[in-house]
Amino acid sequence: MTPCSRSRDFPPVPLPFPRLLRLLAAAALLLLHGEVHAQEVRVWVELSDIDKELKTNVEALTAIVAASKSGGRTEGHVESMHERAPEQIAQALEPFGYYRVRVEGELDTSGSTWVARYSIDPGPPMQIGNVDLRIRGEGEQDSAFQALVRDFPLAAGDTLRHQAYEAAKSSIARLGAERGYLDATFDSTAVLVDLEEYTSQVVLHFTTGPRFRLGEVTFVQDVVDDYILWPFVQFEPGDPFELEKLTSLQSAMSGTTYFSSVEVRPRRDLAGEDRIVPIEIEAAPRKTQRYEIGVGYSTDTGARIRLTAEFRRLNRPGHYADTDLRISQRDRSIGARYNIPVGLPEPSLWTIGGRYGRTTWTTSETWQGLVGLSYSHLRGPLHEVISLHFQRDDFVVGPDTAISNLTMAGSAWTYTVADNRIVATRGFGATLDVRGSVQGAGSSVSLLRGLLGVKWIRSLTDKLRYALRADVGALATSDFRGLPPNARFFAGGDQSIRGYAYRSLGATDEQGNVIGGNTLLVGSAELEYRFLNKWGGAVFVDGGNALQDFKGELALGAGFGVRWISPVGLIRIDWAWGFQRNAGRVHLIIGPDF
């Protein structure tokens, strides 16, 4: 049999190649066209001269300005940003009260770097036509809210500034929280802008609700006995709620040697219908021991090293101790203190301590051993220290060589009020130190010694301030030449009369040796100008001396210096000319104003 086959005829199908080729060609042209237009260019932005504050906000909120600082962009992207820039500039000026802003823009594409120029006319600032401030609830009768309404920072006729509005709004809410209106709320807050009349209205309606009261305090800690902490609580259950009392309590406890952190929590959730808020204080302990090595330098003491060991909690009653070793060009000594906190009438401290070492100054050398007992406590801004100590000094002052024993009782009071103790714009400080001994009652010499020091700082402008300082001292004694150097008065040094070495000035004997005086009179005037945020310059004049009965030659020093508010505090570098010695001297001082 012959094999057979069957076939089928299919109609012809046109091939799609010509059409496909046309599509590919068109795609290639589009890609090529895209490559041409995707080339990146850099852009430079020029803004017309406007107020610095306005310009800063324009630069922060305008996209083309940000693009100019961060590399290239495609030409199309730059053109798009340029078109949007006038609207963005106008929006950036609205928070400052400018609602009729006119912006003319130009994009120069002739160079390799495109230049976008914008001429900005802010127009007139919008004024506040009316301030609708209403305080409702118990707070309406609160003197603090009445003062806020009376001195409210926004008023009709002021330029509308949104930042000022937000700050004023926050001040109302903050005062409510500080005064214990814990359910307070804003009923209405708005800035209504009328572009046709070109004026605005500020609306702030605040309902305080009832004022809460402070409740019982509970300590959540297992470090010391609670009775050690009760003196820090300066309010009674039932007192009106004041946040400042709680922050002061937190600050005081954080300043102790016991705790690494202190959290004061008003338990609003536990307040009942009587609106009394229990206060819960949770405190985390510090490490029980701390060791530190410090290295420093000052023109008074020279280079120095200090090794310190702290034993922060020795028992549940909160006793603690510390010891330190000081090694410097002028002072080599070792000391220790044992501290016993007590709580009456204010947070107070008994201290038993001692020190032994050698001190060498320009005019004297002393080996001293000292033991003593002191009681210190705070009464608001007043710090009082009452002490009784015994010291034995083996000393040389000029031609005087002696060994003295002094059992001295004394009191010292320090009063300080300053807006900032590191760098004050307003501040006043005073220290009065009085001490004495009786010959035969554990002392080889009788003496009564008093020293008063005052310091006054005031600002004349935001950048200019002055500082005045004075020290006055006097002592009466049965044997001046038998007194050790630290009981006599000397002058000179960083905190005394600049231009002279520390304790190098004083009354002299018949041979011209500086032996110190029984009176002290020192004054200083300084003018400081802050030319940068953290830097300033100063000129000053210091004068005075340690004298015999306020009689003798006064020394004068004057000079100039640099001030730097560093991360570790205020640093002063002064150059002073000592007119009595006809010599200049550099002084380095690190420490706060008060």
Side-chain angles (χ1 to χ4, degrees):
M1 179 181 292
T2 304
C4 66
S5 64
R6 296 172 25 172
S7 65
R8 182 179 175 182
D9 293 331
F10 290 91
V13 177
L15 295 176
F17 291 145
R19 183 175 167 188
L20 180 60
L21 290 172
R22 286 195 301 272
L23 290 174
L24 290 174
L29 288 173
L30 286 173
L31 288 173
L32 181 60
H33 183 75
E35 282 293 324
V36 171
H37 284 273
Q39 286 183 337
E40 290 191 346
V41 295
R42 297 187 66 87
V43 62
W44 176 261
V45 178
E46 296 179 358
L47 302 175
S48 61
D49 187 22
I50 57 176
D51 183 82
K52 182 179 179 181
E53 188 179 31
L54 304 182
K55 189 172 184 179
T56 298
N57 210 47
V58 167
E59 291 175 340
L61 299 179
T62 306
I64 198 168
V65 176
S68 70
K69 300 176 181 179
S70 59
R73 293 290 190 276
T74 64
E75 295 177 353
H77 192 188
V78 173
E79 291 170 347
S80 176
M81 289 188 294
H82 173 65
E83 292 177 358
R84 299 197 309 271
E87 181 181 357
Q88 293 174 343
I89 291 172
Q91 291 174 348
L93 297 185
E94 286 183 2
F96 302 93
Y98 295 96
Y99 285 83
R100 290 181 176 173
V101 181
R102 297 180 60 185
V103 181
E104 294 182 3
E106 175 190 3
L107 184 60
D108 183 352
T109 62
S110 59
S112 58
T113 297
W114 290 9
V115 180
R117 300 183 181 91
Y118 301 99
S119 176
I120 305 171
D121 178 11
M126 179 176 286
Q127 292 186 339
I128 300 174
N130 179 51
V131 177
D132 183 8
L133 172 62
R134 303 179 191 179
I135 306 296
R136 301 186 178 95
E138 286 187 16
E140 187 176 1
Q141 306 302 321
D142 191 319
S143 60
F145 271 104
Q146 292 174 349
L148 181 143
V149 172
R150 183 177 61 251
D151 303 326
F152 199 62
L154 300 180
D158 291 349
T159 296
L160 174 63
R161 294 175 65 91
H162 289 256
Q163 185 178 10
Y165 162 76
E166 292 296 338
K169 178 181 173 182
S170 297
S171 69
I172 296 172
R174 183 170 57 251
L175 182 60
E178 291 173 350
R179 300 288 289 175
Y181 299 96
L182 303 185
D183 292 337
T185 184
F186 280 101
D187 302 316
S188 179
T189 62
V191 176
L192 306 177
V193 175
D194 187 335
L195 293 178
E196 291 185 1
E197 297 293 332
Y198 207 64
T199 187
S200 63
Q201 181 181 6
V202 172
V203 178
L204 291 167
H205 296 174
F206 188 69
T207 298
T208 66
R211 188 176 186 184
F212 285 69
R213 296 183 176 276
L214 295 166
E216 295 286 346
V217 174
T218 302
F219 294 105
V220 183
Q221 58 89 30
D222 191 28
V223 178
V224 295
D225 291 332
D226 285 353
Y227 78 85
I228 298 297
L229 306 177
W230 282 115
F232 294 110
V233 181
Q234 298 295 300
F235 57 84
E236 297 292 336
D239 286 353
F241 190 106
E242 291 183 38
L243 188 61
E244 182 182 1
K245 293 181 178 179
L246 301 184
T247 56
S248 297
L249 170 59
Q250 181 180 34
S251 177
M253 288 184 58
S254 298
T256 67
T257 188
Y258 311 124
F259 307 114
S260 61
S261 64
V262 177
E263 184 179 1
V264 178
R265 292 193 292 263
R267 295 301 304 270
R268 167 68 179 82
D269 56 314
L270 299 180
E273 294 182 358
D274 56 4
R275 301 191 300 277
I276 294 179
V277 183
I279 306 301
E280 186 176 272
I281 304 175
E282 184 172 354
R286 291 181 186 266
K287 294 181 178 180
T288 56
Q289 298 179 12
R290 176 176 177 267
Y291 302 92
E292 183 180 78
I293 299 177
V295 179
Y297 177 85
S298 76
T299 44
D300 282 353
T301 63
R304 62 179 182 268
I305 298 175
R306 183 176 180 179
L307 309 177
T308 304
E310 295 181 7
F311 306 93
R312 291 167 166 165
R313 300 187 307 278
L314 299 177
N315 49 32
R316 292 284 303 181
H319 297 188
Y320 61 96
D322 60 80
T323 182
D324 70 301
L325 173 65
R326 304 175 185 178
I327 303 174
S328 74
Q329 294 172 263
R330 303 292 190 183
D331 178 17
R332 298 180 181 182
S333 63
I334 185 169
R337 299 187 304 173
Y338 187 91
N339 305 286
I340 305 170
V342 291
L344 297 174
E346 298 284 347
S348 307
L349 190 70
W350 285 99
T351 299
I352 304 169
R355 179 166 295 279
Y356 180 77
R358 175 189 180 189
T359 304
T360 304
W361 303 113
T362 304
T363 56
S364 66
E365 179 179 348
T366 305
W367 283 94
Q368 183 187 79
L370 181 148
V371 293
L373 173 68
S374 67
Y375 174 75
S376 63
H377 62 279
L378 293 172
R379 294 179 177 175
L382 182 67
H383 182 210
E384 181 180 44
V385 179
I386 302 171
S387 63
L388 176 67
H389 72 264
F390 172 81
Q391 66 181 62
R392 180 178 176 84
D393 297 88
D394 185 348
F395 64 89
V396 176
V397 182
D400 300 336
T401 300
I403 296 176
S404 70
N405 296 317
L406 292 176
T407 300
M408 287 200 291
S411 294
W413 298 270
T414 301
Y415 178 85
T416 304
V417 177
D419 56 359
N420 185 330
R421 293 200 176 200
I422 304 299
V423 184
T425 59
R426 293 177 60 87
F428 175 78
T431 299
L432 176 62
D433 188 324
V434 179
R435 64 185 67 179
S437 66
V438 177
Q439 186 175 5
S443 300
S444 54
V445 178
S446 293
L447 72 91
L448 178 62
R449 183 182 191 273
L451 176 63
L452 173 65
V454 295
K455 188 175 184 179
W456 180 285
I457 293 179
R458 283 292 185 273
S459 291
L460 300 173
T461 67
D462 291 341
K463 296 184 177 181
L464 187 66
R465 70 171 187 166
Y466 67 88
L468 304 176
R469 173 173 51 84
D471 296 295
V472 180
L475 70 86
T477 179
S478 60
D479 180 11
F480 179 82
R481 304 293 282 266
L483 291 177
N486 65 349
R488 309 182 190 191
F489 290 114
F490 292 87
D494 301 339
Q495 304 292 339
S496 179
I497 305 174
R498 285 163 285 190
Y500 304 87
Y502 182 60
R503 296 173 64 89
S504 64
L505 295 173
T508 58
D509 63 9
E510 297 78 5
Q511 287 75 41
N513 299 302
V514 176
I515 60 172
N518 62 9
T519 55
L520 178 71
L521 184 62
V522 170
S524 174
E526 181 173 305
L527 190 65
E528 179 185 313
Y529 179 76
R530 185 81 56 80
F531 53 82
L532 290 175
N533 186 39
K534 300 291 185 180
W535 290 88
V539 293
F540 56 85
V541 58
D542 302 336
N545 211 333
L547 309 166
Q548 289 295 337
D549 302 320
F550 293 109
K551 299 176 183 178
E553 182 182 6
L554 298 180
L556 184 66
F560 57 89
V562 176
R563 306 290 181 264
W564 177 37
I565 305 175
S566 76
V568 297
L570 184 61
I571 297 178
R572 306 171 178 87
I573 302 176
D574 292 332
W575 182 88
W577 181 263
F579 291 89
Q580 191 181 56
R581 302 282 170 85
N582 290 320
R585 187 175 180 85
V586 175
H587 295 268
L588 172 63
I589 309 166
I590 302 175
D593 282 331
F594 291 99

